Amino acid sequence: MVQKAKPTNRAPKVVDVARLAGVSTATVSRVLNDPEKVSQNTREAVLAAVKETGYRINRAARNLRTNSTRSILALVPNLSNPFFSNILSGLERALNAEDYSLLVTDSGDAPLTPDQMDRLIAAGQADGLIVLDGSISQADFAEVQANNPSCPIVFACEWVNDVNCPSVRADNVGGVATLVDHLWENGHRRFGHVMGPTSNVLSTVRRDAFVTRVSELGGETRNPWILQGTFSIDAGRAAAEAISAMSDRPTAWICASDQIAFGLISGLTRAGINVPDDASVAGFDNIEMTEVFNPPLTTIHQPRNKMGHQAAQSILELIRGQENRAQVHILPVQLVNRESTGPAPR
Amino acid sequence: MVQKAKPTNRAPKVVDVARLAGVSTATVSRVLNDPEKVSQNTREAVLAAVKETGYRINRAARNLRTNSTRSILALVPNLSNPFFSNILSGLERALNAEDYSLLVTDSGDAPLTPDQMDRLIAAGQADGLIVLDGSISQADFAEVQANNPSCPIVFACEWVNDVNCPSVRADNVGGVATLVDHLWENGHRRFGHVMGPTSNVLSTVRRDAFVTRVSELGGETRNPWILQGTFSIDAGRAAAEAISAMSDRPTAWICASDQIAFGLISGLTRAGINVPDDASVAGFDNIEMTEVFNPPLTTIHQPRNKMGHQAAQSILELIRGQENRAQVHILPVQLVNRESTGPAPR
DNA sequence: TGTTTTGTTGTAATCGATTACAAAATGGTA
DNA sequence: TACCATTTTGTAATCGATTACAACAAAACA
């Protein structure tokens, strides 16, 4: 019977394996990295020696020599946001499957400065960067890219305009249009929108899609019916206050996130405006809680795990030189029709 | 005026800095790691050279030489769970402040095998491990610890019993007792509990605390009133079905997590049992959504960020040899009294 | 002034894997 | 058998920082 890795005092290295297998370190290394380059016999001998010694590669040494780290750094605006953690989850699994690991940095809701980003990149802790933060200005980002021309970067979910990086995102335009259509079919003709922060691409893209679709259908919206805020519950509540003070208001509200919708509905209800009887409210994201919220929220489902997965694929292909720098992956979304929307009041 | 780092084709190394400053590489390294060991003059010269060359340390080389990585690996059962991401957030910030970075591994809700854990640890990618997963069996964990006696490990939030590692957790017993007391004061005398998975420490600790406190007060609970499940919304819904089929049931329910409570309330409502008029329901965790849920959820607030922060401190101290291996940090919790609980129906 | 102590700096070995290049073994063919 | 092509293996340099040790200089002391 084969012995379990014997308790050595020192961690075994390639030389130990090589000695035991009666080959050179080069051969051991080859067995581990390019098995086909080695004859079957020696390969088996080496693998046996690896098992017997309990050898585990020293990453630092390999990283130094190969000038790579087999890890990817994700830049997240706010880790405590469940939306991001879902994407990270998909990301992490896809990376792990390829023997890459995931480093996470929380930029703390304040967009990173170019200098901070340079430092993160130059730290040489990662082979690539996945940016989940769309609040970075185009100029700042261009600077970072210019300073680090060889650093593979992929955007996931959010992105920065006019930057030459692969990007993975949901079909935001289609999603918003679907919501408008859904409300339109329910007889609504006057539409309002609660945006995220104006500094964020998603906010503006969704707002524009909203305005476009409403006008295509011939519906009505007005500037004061488009409220700005953040993607948070609190922003939704604040919007509710503003709305309840309006003398003349839309019957249908589309929110830029589910959290906004929660706050909005909560606030409207408190103000005596019943959802969906007096006003319909739709969200965006389909986070887990939408289902048990009262009323269950009509929203757009984003394939979060898939987005993480695709982002992982893209960055790996970029690292391997197979990905087109300008590739934009737009993943389809789906309307989830629940009970926060209904027929327009007459 | 000082030039910005000039665009070299090759990343500058210590030798480049040394040459420019007219000193040896040893001196450069000393300036960067032990500034006091170097005279003021040379120190300034070196720092100037660092700035001029735009030198950034190569971590792989340093890691190899010092046999450390300045990064910490967090083992998370499920990244998409908002509860964990909040802790990670606190963790990441505290680590970053000390120039450590955070690696994340999602064990995918299936507890890791000892072998998988060994591999993660031995990969030498991290100087320490923060375990957020309490579903690992005591035997498995003991094995891992025996195999890696020198690896600093800290538990956060969840933990494994009878293991000699620092642990950071909320006051689960106190929290549950507070909930029971709160319901008791509202006139409830018959109590039920919806647990998490039995394999999880938190589940059993909370369940035991529940049983203990109810009996201390002289209240009533029975085995069939203690339902098992997972920490999920779905489990709460399933519990609601079971409950609505009971002929004789408690008036007060304490759930092991907010998510369970959401599912439970949603299910009870659907079954025609009104919360809080017909039954009171309390959660545990105080996740963000509790506030806008309808009815707003009475729950126990856990200091999630603080837990992450404390876990970071503990692991750093452990790495530096200052932390007591058996230290248990129990952070205080708070009752958040909202509207899902009320007077017992008569 | 000579001797010791203290403080500062440099030389060169070292961490552990990968890989260019060369050498050896193998197989195929005339 | 001799020759060439191909496959397999080994030798030793290399990645870039840290640090033990030694050397030197400056300060303190007798």
Side-chain angles (χ1 to χ4, degrees):
Chain A
M1 203 201 276
V2 182
Q3 283 286 312
K4 253 233 126 157
K6 47 183 159 182
T8 37
N9 26 12
R10 219 175 23 73
K13 327 176 200 180
V14 261
V15 276
D16 301 317
V17 176
R19 194 151 25 222
L20 185 61
V23 299
S24 72
T25 60
T27 301
V28 173
S29 177
R30 277 189 283 255
V31 169
L32 265 26
N33 298 308
D34 270 313
E36 325 79 56
K37 298 255 168 220
V38 162
S39 78
Q40 168 129 17
N41 280 342
T42 40
R43 192 189 317 157
E44 281 166 6
V46 168
L47 289 178
V50 166
K51 187 165 272 176
E52 185 170 342
T53 54
Y55 170 77
R56 295 267 171 66
I57 198 174
N58 178 317
R59 296 230 180 196
R62 181 219 259 165
N63 292 351
L64 173 58
R65 184 54 228 245
T66 62
N67 194 30
S68 74
T69 63
R70 299 209 134 236
S71 63
I72 300 292
L73 176 64
L75 230 68
V76 188
N78 180 357
L79 246 181
S80 16
N81 184 328
F83 186 78
F84 291 113
S85 47
N86 263 294
I87 294 175
L88 285 186
S89 173
L91 200 51
E92 200 271 338
R93 289 176 202 196
L95 288 177
N96 248 22
E98 301 269 357
D99 195 26
Y100 272 71
S101 33
L102 177 66
L103 277 159
V104 175
T105 286
D106 185 335
S107 59
D109 270 334
L112 291 171
T113 65
D115 194 60
Q116 287 175 307
M117 298 192 59
D118 280 348
R119 211 166 317 140
L120 283 172
I121 294 173
Q125 293 184 99
D127 297 345
L129 203 57
I130 294 191
V131 179
L132 297 171
D133 187 342
S135 312
I136 301 164
S137 83
Q138 198 263 321
D140 281 0
F141 203 85
E143 182 183 336
V144 171
Q145 238 194 349
N147 291 348
N148 313 80
S150 63
C151 177
I153 302 181
V154 168
F155 288 110
C157 183
E158 307 193 1
W159 68 95
V160 173
N161 277 317
D162 300 320
V163 164
N164 197 25
C165 292
S167 166
V168 178
R169 54 182 89 156
D171 181 4
N172 292 289
V173 174
V176 171
T178 306
L179 284 177
V180 176
D181 290 353
H182 163 73
L183 291 161
W184 180 269
E185 284 159 16
N186 272 278
H188 296 270
R189 292 298 176 263
R190 296 148 57 83
F191 300 85
H193 180 55
V194 187
M195 298 178 62
T198 47
S199 59
N200 185 293
V201 250
L202 291 180
S203 303
T204 55
V205 164
R206 290 177 188 168
R207 191 254 334 263
D208 294 348
F210 168 79
V211 173
T212 305
R213 189 60 186 162
V214 167
S215 81
E216 277 174 9
L217 291 177
E220 183 183 2
T221 187
R222 305 183 194 161
N223 265 338
W225 295 353
I226 297 181
L227 305 174
Q228 291 166 17
T230 66
F231 284 118
S232 67
I233 292 178
D234 281 343
R237 275 220 206 75
E241 273 189 43
I243 291 168
S244 58
M246 290 178 184
S247 54
D248 185 26
R249 55 182 174 239
T251 59
W253 292 92
I254 290 177
C255 301
S257 79
D258 287 340
Q259 323 230 1
I260 296 176
F262 291 145
L264 181 62
I265 293 177
S266 164
L268 290 178
T269 308
R270 183 155 314 176
I273 301 176
N274 186 288
V275 176
D277 294 342
D278 304 330
S280 283
V281 173
F284 206 106
D285 286 348
N286 194 31
I287 66 178
E288 217 193 355
M289 215 58 58
T290 48
E291 217 177 333
V292 289
F293 191 77
N294 190 346
L297 194 68
T298 295
T299 187
I300 290 292
H301 176 78
Q302 294 202 50
R304 293 186 291 269
N305 257 281
K306 222 175 269 173
M307 287 171 75
H309 189 88
Q310 177 61 55
Q313 296 308 326
S314 288
I315 194 112
L316 291 177
E317 283 171 15
L318 199 55
I319 287 170
R320 294 171 186 148
Q322 306 158 351
E323 172 83 333
N324 182 342
R325 283 235 143 204
Q327 183 81 41
V328 175
H329 301 267
I330 297 188
L331 304 189
V333 297
Q334 262 184 317
L335 173 69
V336 184
N337 184 7
R338 298 206 184 88
E339 299 165 28
S340 65
T341 53
R346 18 159 290 115
Chain B
M1 202 201 276
V2 182
Q3 283 286 311
K4 254 236 126 158
K6 47 182 160 183
T8 38
N9 26 12
R10 216 173 29 72
K13 327 176 204 183
V14 261
V15 277
D16 301 317
V17 176
R19 195 152 24 225
L20 184 63
V23 298
S24 73
T25 59
T27 300
V28 174
S29 176
R30 278 189 282 255
V31 169
L32 265 27
N33 298 309
D34 269 313
E36 326 79 56
K37 298 255 167 218
V38 163
S39 78
Q40 170 127 18
N41 281 341
T42 40
R43 196 189 316 160
E44 279 166 6
V46 168
L47 289 178
V50 166
K51 188 166 269 176
E52 185 171 344
T53 54
Y55 171 77
R56 296 267 172 69
I57 197 174
N58 178 318
R59 297 228 179 197
R62 181 219 259 166
N63 291 352
L64 174 58
R65 186 55 229 243
T66 62
N67 195 29
S68 74
T69 62
R70 297 211 136 235
S71 62
I72 300 292
L73 176 64
L75 229 67
V76 189
N78 180 356
L79 248 180
S80 8
N81 185 328
F83 186 79
F84 291 113
S85 47
N86 263 293
I87 294 176
L88 285 185
S89 173
L91 201 51
E92 200 272 337
R93 289 177 201 192
L95 287 177
N96 248 24
E98 302 269 359
D99 194 26
Y100 272 71
S101 31
L102 177 67
L103 277 161
V104 175
T105 286
D106 186 335
S107 58
D109 268 336
L112 291 171
T113 65
D115 193 61
Q116 287 175 307
M117 299 191 61
D118 280 349
R119 212 167 314 141
L120 284 170
I121 294 173
Q125 294 182 99
D127 296 347
L129 201 58
I130 293 190
V131 179
L132 298 170
D133 186 343
S135 312
I136 302 165
S137 82
Q138 197 263 324
D140 281 1
F141 203 85
E143 182 184 335
V144 171
Q145 238 194 349
N147 291 347
N148 313 81
S150 63
C151 177
I153 302 181
V154 168
F155 288 110
C157 182
E158 307 193 1
W159 69 94
V160 173
N161 277 316
D162 299 322
V163 166
N164 197 26
C165 292
S167 165
V168 178
R169 54 183 89 157
D171 182 4
N172 292 289
V173 174
V176 171
T178 306
L179 284 177
V180 175
D181 291 353
H182 163 74
L183 290 162
W184 181 271
E185 286 159 15
N186 272 277
H188 295 271
R189 293 297 176 265
R190 293 147 60 84
F191 301 85
H193 180 56
V194 187
M195 298 177 62
T198 45
S199 59
N200 186 292
V201 251
L202 292 179
S203 304
T204 55
V205 164
R206 290 178 188 166
R207 191 254 333 261
D208 294 348
F210 167 81
V211 172
T212 303
R213 189 60 183 162
V214 169
S215 81
E216 277 174 9
L217 292 177
E220 184 184 3
T221 187
R222 304 182 195 163
N223 265 338
W225 296 352
I226 298 182
L227 306 174
Q228 292 166 17
T230 66
F231 285 120
S232 67
I233 293 178
D234 280 344
R237 273 219 207 80
E241 272 189 43
I243 292 168
S244 59
M246 290 180 184
S247 53
D248 184 25
R249 53 182 175 239
T251 59
W253 291 93
I254 290 178
C255 300
S257 81
D258 287 342
Q259 321 229 3
I260 295 176
F262 292 147
L264 182 61
I265 294 177
S266 163
L268 290 178
T269 308
R270 184 154 314 175
I273 302 176
N274 185 285
V275 176
D277 295 342
D278 302 331
S280 284
V281 174
F284 205 106
D285 287 347
N286 194 32
I287 65 178
E288 219 193 354
M289 213 59 58
T290 48
E291 216 177 336
V292 289
F293 190 77
N294 190 349
L297 194 68
T298 295
T299 188
I300 290 292
H301 176 77
Q302 293 202 53
R304 293 186 291 268
N305 257 279
K306 221 174 270 172
M307 287 171 74
H309 188 89
Q310 177 59 57
Q313 297 308 326
S314 288
I315 193 113
L316 292 176
E317 284 172 15
L318 199 55
I319 288 171
R320 293 168 186 152
Q322 305 157 351
E323 171 83 335
N324 182 343
R325 283 235 141 203
Q327 184 82 41
V328 174
H329 302 266
I330 296 188
L331 306 188
V333 298
Q334 264 184 317
L335 173 69
V336 185
N337 184 7
R338 299 205 185 89
E339 299 164 30
S340 65
T341 53
R346 17 160 291 115

